């Protein structure tokens, strides 16, 4: 599942807001609390805990990082791995094209998709709109 929007702000500015995980509750209603569990620079292996309405708390671990371009992180639970993707690319007029994605894999991925697809769609759309509004103000 993917969503994209164009943000009227340069990639470095959007990247800075996107990686400030602990401030996510400032720009999206889909995250009530967020905190890094490790200190130091953002890197593969760094972990964060997010608490989300209707989903509870979960630990996410960065699996891929391309500075000022993208990061992916994964959440693993019994029978399913969920990967959240965050991609930035240069957009028109010096703006940024933001693409967010959620993918499930594993033996229970079909069940998870069946139970959560509507909520997931609403959440990634809300996150994209919230990040856009925050970066454009």
């Amino acid at each position: 599942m993917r969503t994209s929007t164009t943000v009227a702000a340069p990639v470095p500015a959007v990247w800075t807001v996107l990686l400030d995980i602990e401030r996510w509750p400032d720009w999206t209603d889909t995250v009530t609390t967020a905190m890094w569990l490790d200190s130091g620079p953002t890197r593969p292996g760094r972990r964060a805990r997010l608490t989300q309405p209707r989903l509870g708390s979960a630990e996410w671990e960065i699996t891929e990082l391309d500075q000022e371009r993208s990061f992916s992180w994964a959440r693993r639970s019994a029978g399913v791995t969920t990967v959240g993707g965050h991609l930035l690319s240069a957009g028109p007029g010096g703006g940024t094209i933001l693409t967010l994605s959620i993918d499930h894999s594993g033996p229970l991925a079909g069940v998870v998709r069946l139970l959560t697809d509507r909520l997931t769609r609403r959440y990634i759309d809300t996150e994209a709109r919230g990040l856009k509004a925050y970066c454009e103000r």
Side-chain angles (χ1 to χ4, degrees):
M1 181 174 305
R2 287 169 179 37
T3 194
S4 292
T5 191
T6 300
V7 180
V11 169
V14 178
W15 182 255
T16 297
V17 172
L18 189 59
L19 284 187
D20 191 358
I21 302 300
E22 294 176 345
R23 303 279 314 256
W24 281 21
D26 293 347
W27 55 262
T28 183
D29 294 335
T30 67
V31 177
T32 53
T33 61
M35 63 195 290
W36 287 113
L37 300 175
D38 314 286
S39 59
T42 303
R43 66 193 181 291
R46 192 168 189 201
R47 298 168 302 123
R49 177 170 305 283
L50 269 62
T51 303
Q52 297 183 273
R54 299 185 63 191
L55 296 176
S57 292
E59 187 176 303
W60 293 83
E61 181 178 331
I62 294 179
T63 55
E64 297 177 24
L65 177 72
D66 185 355
Q67 283 295 337
E68 291 195 7
R69 176 160 166 68
S70 67
F71 82 90
S72 295
W73 58 7
R75 170 189 180 193
R76 291 171 182 81
S77 57
V80 66
T81 298
T82 301
V83 176
H86 311 79
L87 173 65
L88 305 179
S89 56
T96 301
I97 299 169
L98 165 70
T99 302
L100 302 177
S101 62
I102 292 283
D103 295 299
H104 304 288
S105 62
L108 296 179
V111 173
V112 169
R113 277 191 292 275
L114 182 67
L115 296 174
T116 66
D117 263 4
R118 273 184 63 197
L119 181 64
T120 300
R121 166 60 58 202
R122 192 169 80 233
Y123 275 21
I124 67 170
D125 288 344
T126 297
E127 290 164 8
R129 283 191 311 272
L131 184 59
K132 174 182 172 66
Y134 188 87
C135 291
E136 290 180 350
R137 62 177 195 167

